[in-house]
Amino acid sequence: MTMGITTIRNVTRPVKEEAWARAEALGLPYFRREGTLDDMMTAFRLEGLLVYGKDLPYYYGGGGEYHYHFGTSVLRKGQMEQGHEDRLCRLLPHKEDLTVLDATFGQGGDSLTMSWFLGDRGHVTALEKSTALWEIGQAAIDSYEDSKEEGLTRALRRITLIHEDFRTFLEKAKPKSFDVIYFDPMFKAPVKRRENNMEGFRKAAAYDSLTEEILGLAQRTAAMRIIVKERPFSRLFSTGLFHFVDRRKGQSTAYGVMDV
């Protein structure tokens, strides 16, 4: 992806200096803000821009923006507080100090929900290959706050986010170094794409495929369980690798569970 860094209009000198410093740290070109973001993308032949301002950085992909937010984690936490089970969290083994590797951080909703659910009983480490999503996610972990959701804010602070793709990470990971490994790869056929306003996010995301080879590496690295979120008709669920698949009528996603 050809991506650059710029700022919002009329920014202070500290913001410009921060954007410049992040460009150097990430190895991305810095462009002084001139005109619209679309004009800049055309002029410099870019596919996207990380934009810095007084708030968290966001991604602009031409026709769509992605800003970090708690999203459905607020609803999921509320449901659990009312005594309802969360489809993903209910699949986590009951163990003190449970270590979870979320191999596909993305918007961070699953990492955040699991971190809140585990509390002090465990820890979530997450991987993100996309430079844009890693930068936005790490900035959120460092400083995003929601005064109405102090519990989720604390859970966000507890997440460890690593800028790396899951294949590279798993190839060098120590055997049995995480209790649970979770995958939620980007769907090529997205769920409610327009309704969920996902264009900006999808343009920033990485689309690495989850293969049987990757699952083999995960089996070596996981001590207890591998969980995969996919469409119910995913071919991975017909490989015979999974001990069971949680499919539910009317749900557009399913969870495959492999115990190791």
Side-chain angles (χ1 to χ4, degrees):
M1 174 187 294
T2 307
M3 183 171 64
I5 284 180
T6 190
T7 66
I8 61 173
R9 300 176 188 269
N10 304 318
V11 292
T12 60
R13 184 178 182 85
V15 171
K16 291 181 182 179
E17 291 176 347
E18 179 195 13
W20 174 263
R22 293 311 299 156
E24 287 210 326
L26 297 171
L28 295 172
Y30 171 81
F31 300 100
R32 186 177 66 181
R33 179 62 185 267
E34 294 181 352
T36 69
L37 296 176
D38 284 321
D39 288 341
M40 293 179 66
M41 289 177 61
T42 299
F44 299 112
R45 299 181 180 180
L46 301 172
E47 296 177 71
L49 282 161
L50 268 171
V51 184
Y52 291 75
K54 60 182 179 180
D55 299 316
L56 294 181
Y58 69 92
Y59 178 80
Y60 183 79
E65 297 180 1
Y66 170 63
H67 298 253
Y68 180 81
H69 52 84
F70 281 164
T72 58
S73 295
V74 176
L75 176 62
R76 293 167 71 181
K77 176 185 75 75
Q79 289 291 309
M80 285 188 280
E81 287 176 329
Q82 294 176 24
H84 303 289
E85 287 188 324
D86 181 82
R87 286 187 70 196
L88 173 58
C89 291
R90 69 180 290 272
L91 298 175
L92 297 176
H94 296 285
K95 174 182 178 293
E96 287 296 320
D97 299 321
L98 189 77
T99 55
V100 178
L101 177 67
D102 181 350
T104 46
F105 182 76
Q107 298 181 84
D110 286 328
S111 283
L112 178 57
T113 302
M114 288 188 289
S115 181
W116 180 86
F117 175 77
L118 291 173
D120 295 331
R121 298 178 294 108
H123 182 75
V124 176
T125 298
L127 308 177
E128 180 51 57
K129 178 181 180 179
S130 163
T131 297
L133 296 185
W134 176 81
E135 179 75 354
I136 294 168
Q138 188 60 59
I141 290 170
D142 291 340
S143 61
Y144 183 85
E145 292 189 22
D146 186 335
S147 60
K148 296 180 181 180
E149 295 293 344
E150 293 182 1
L152 284 178
T153 300
R154 291 194 297 271
L156 181 64
R157 297 284 186 270
R158 291 194 295 267
I159 298 170
T160 300
L161 182 59
I162 298 173
H163 186 199
E164 194 161 30
D165 67 274
F166 51 67
R167 175 187 287 275
T168 302
F169 185 90
L170 291 173
E171 284 177 340
K172 63 185 181 184
K174 294 180 180 179
K176 310 304 176 188
S177 51
F178 291 92
D179 293 319
V180 177
I181 299 179
Y182 171 64
F183 294 94
D184 177 15
M186 285 292 292
F187 299 155
K188 290 183 172 60
V191 179
K192 297 183 179 179
R193 181 170 184 167
R194 292 183 179 177
E195 293 90 329
N196 292 337
N197 193 23
M198 293 277 286
E199 293 307 304
F201 171 74
R202 289 188 64 82
K203 289 181 179 179
Y207 286 81
D208 288 356
S209 297
L210 184 57
T211 64
E212 292 182 46
E213 179 187 2
I214 297 297
L215 289 175
L217 293 172
Q219 283 180 303
R220 181 180 64 84
T221 307
M224 299 180 71
R225 177 167 286 184
I226 297 166
I227 305 171
V228 175
K229 180 182 179 182
E230 259 287 5
R231 302 299 291 274
F233 50 78
S234 170
R235 68 166 190 83
L236 281 176
F237 293 154
S238 62
T239 60
L241 295 172
F242 294 89
H243 291 87
F244 69 92
V245 178
D246 179 357
R247 296 184 178 91
R248 300 194 180 185
K249 186 177 181 180
Q251 295 289 326
S252 56
T253 57
Y255 292 92
V257 174
M258 183 191 311
D259 290 326
V260 296

